[in-house]
Amino acid sequence: MWRFNRKVLSILLIVIGFSSAVCFGSEISPFEPLAGPVPNQKTCPGLYCGRKLLLDSQDNFTYSSCGACDRSERPNNSSICIPCNGTPDLYDWMYLGFMVLVSLTLHIFFIDYFSDGKSKAMTLHISATLECAVSSIVTLLILDPVGSPKLRSCDVAKLSDWYTMLENPQPQYTSTLHCTQEAVYPLYTAVFIYYSIHLVLMMLVRPGLSIKFSDNLGRSSIYAALYFIPILTVMHAVFAGLIYYSYPYLTLIISLVTHAVHFAKEEIETPRLLISKKRNPVILFIHWLMHAYGIIALTRLQNPVLYGPMLACIPFPAIFYIVTARFADPSQLLAT
Ligand SMILES: *[C@@H]1O[C@H](CO)[C@@H](O)[C@H](O)[C@H]1NC(C)=O
Ligand SMILES: *[C@@H]1O[C@H](CO)[C@@H](O)[C@H](O)[C@H]1NC(C)=O
C-alpha cells in the first residue's frame, strides 16, 4: 500500500514538474536580462518591478533583469522603466501644503503657548512663518526640474504606491525580487527634504532672533520644535500613505476640535466676548482658513457650482457654538 502510494506520488511529482517547466519555460524569466524587441505584455512579477535600459546601440536594446526602477521612473505595461512625466494635481499640492502647514501650526501654537500671548513674541511668529515659506520654496527649487517651482512627478494611483516595500514579489517561491522604490516620486522624499531644511533653518535663525528681539521668549518653543519635527518626520515615514488619503478629513476634524476647545477655554459665549480680546478673532480666522482648506481638498473644486456654496458654511460651527453655548452650560443641566 505504502509502495503504491509512493509510486503514485512520484508520478504526480514528475507530471507537475514537467508541466510547470513547460509553463514557466515559455515565459520570460524575471531573473534574466532581456535582449531584442520589448514584448507587449508584462514580463516582471509584482506591481513595481521593471527592467532598466542597459545598452542603447543603434538597433538593439538590452534591458536588465527585473528589479527596482531608478528614482523618478516607473515600469510601464511591458515592465520597462520609463521616466515619470506627470505633474502633481491640486490634491497632491494640497497634500504637500498640509505637511508644511502642520509644522507651521505647531510652531505658532507652541510660540503662543510658551510666550503667554506677549506681543514681543510677534517676531517669533513672523520668523516661524518665513522659515516654513523659505524651506518650502527651497525644497521646490532643488527638486526636479531643478531651479523651477514646478515638479515632475509620478502619479499616485493607490495606497500601495506609498508602501512598495510590502510588494516585493517571490516568483515561483524561490527568491524575492527587491523592487522597493519611490513610486509616488517626489511626494515622499519632498516632505523629508522640507523637514530637514526647515530644521536647519530654524536652528540658524530663531535662537538669535529670540535673544535679540524677544527676551529669549522663544527658548521653550525652539525646544518643542526639536521634538515635534523629528516626530513629524517619523510619522511621515510610517503613515505617509494613510495621511495622503485622509488629510482633508484630518484637517476638518482637527480644526473643528481645536475651534471648540478654544471657544470653551476662552469662554466665548457671545459675539461681544469674541471680539473682547484681539487674539480671538485672529484664532477664529485661522480656524476658518483650516475649514476652507479641508473642504477644498475634499472636493478638489471639481464642481464649483455644487461645492462653492459649501465654503459659505465655514462660519457655521462658530455661530452654532455661540447660539447653543448658553443652553449647554453644566449649571443648567444641574438645575433641571
Ligand atoms: C543586433 O542584433 C542582431 C540580431 O540579434 C545582431 O545580428 C547584431 O549584430 C546586433 N547589433 C549590435 C550592434 O549588437
Ligand atoms: C514600454 O516602454 C518601451 C520602451 O520605451 C516601449 O517599447 C513599449 O512599447 C512600452 N510598452 C507599453 C505597453 O507602453
Side-chain angles (χ1 to χ4, degrees):
M1 195 61 194
W2 164 241
R3 186 171 297 165
F4 170 73
N5 260 351
R6 212 165 46 172
K7 209 178 265 173
V8 170
L9 202 68
S10 51
I11 290 174
L12 260 178
L13 276 181
I14 290 172
V15 169
I16 290 173
F18 187 70
S19 54
S20 63
V22 167
C23 281
F24 290 117
S26 63
E27 260 184 20
I28 299 159
S29 161
F31 300 105
E32 297 292 329
L34 186 72
V38 175
N40 54 11
Q41 91 273 16
K42 202 163 160 351
T43 62
C44 292
L47 288 171
Y48 304 101
C49 297
R51 298 174 186 275
K52 290 185 252 184
L53 185 62
L54 289 181
L55 180 119
D56 192 356
S57 61
Q58 271 143 358
D59 288 324
N60 305 359
F61 295 94
T62 314
Y63 297 97
S64 69
S65 56
C66 294
C69 290
D70 285 334
R71 201 166 128 76
S72 85
E73 290 189 348
R74 274 186 79 159
N76 71 2
N77 290 337
S78 328
S79 304
I80 305 295
C81 296
I82 301 286
C84 296
N85 273 322
T87 45
D89 60 11
L90 177 69
Y91 190 82
D92 298 336
W93 282 116
M94 290 190 82
Y95 166 73
L96 293 176
F98 174 79
M99 298 310 287
V100 173
L101 288 178
V102 166
S103 61
L104 178 60
T105 314
L106 286 174
H107 277 306
I108 290 192
F109 170 78
F110 280 114
I111 292 171
D112 190 61
Y113 181 79
F114 286 117
S115 64
D116 292 328
K118 290 194 189 96
S119 60
K120 277 211 169 134
M122 205 57 212
T123 325
L124 300 173
H125 286 298
I126 294 171
S127 164
T129 313
L130 288 180
E131 286 156 25
C132 288
V134 169
S135 11
S136 338
I137 292 169
V138 172
T139 308
L140 284 185
L141 290 182
I142 62 177
L143 282 168
D144 201 39
V146 179
S148 134
K150 292 196 189 106
L151 283 185
R152 182 168 69 83
S153 70
C154 303
D155 298 326
V156 186
K158 47 181 175 297
L159 184 62
S160 64
D161 287 359
W162 293 89
Y163 299 105
T164 55
M165 60 286 203
L166 305 179
E167 300 281 333
N168 289 333
Q170 261 189 326
Q172 297 163 38
Y173 304 103
T174 44
S175 53
T176 307
L177 279 176
H178 295 281
C179 301
T180 306
Q181 58 180 312
E182 191 187 8
V184 294
Y185 173 88
L187 297 186
Y188 194 60
T189 36
V191 176
F192 287 120
I193 298 174
Y194 165 76
Y195 282 141
S196 5
I197 296 178
H198 180 57
L199 193 60
V200 172
L201 197 62
M202 184 197 80
M203 287 313 295
L204 287 180
V205 172
R206 197 96 66 79
L209 283 182
S210 171
I211 290 169
K212 200 153 194 310
F213 297 105
S214 318
D215 299 341
N216 211 3
L217 269 179
R219 194 169 146 268
S220 307
S221 58
I222 292 170
Y223 280 129
L226 290 182
Y227 280 102
F228 74 69
I229 292 179
I231 291 175
L232 286 178
T233 312
V234 172
M235 298 273 282
H236 169 67
V238 180
F239 297 115
L242 300 176
I243 296 175
Y244 177 80
Y245 284 105
S246 60
Y247 78 86
Y249 307 98
L250 288 179
T251 315
L252 283 177
I253 294 169
I254 295 172
S255 68
L256 282 176
V257 169
T258 54
H259 179 281
V261 168
H262 173 243
F263 269 39
K265 196 167 153 280
E266 298 284 324
E267 295 178 350
I268 299 169
E269 288 173 10
T270 59
R272 195 184 305 132
L273 283 173
L274 178 62
I275 49 175
S276 62
K277 271 192 208 164
K278 224 195 295 168
R279 46 187 259 122
N280 287 341
V282 174
I283 293 177
L284 180 64
F285 186 67
I286 293 176
H287 277 118
W288 284 359
L289 289 182
M290 281 166 74
H291 298 344
Y293 199 89
I295 291 175
I296 291 174
L298 202 57
T299 61
R300 306 180 194 197
L301 292 184
Q302 273 160 345
N303 191 343
V305 181
L306 187 64
Y307 297 130
M310 276 178 80
L311 291 176
C313 301
I314 288 167
F316 184 74
I319 297 171
F320 182 80
Y321 188 97
I322 289 178
V323 168
T324 58
R326 67 195 72 170
F327 304 118
D329 199 310
S331 60
Q332 296 228 343
L333 285 181
L334 292 178
T336 51

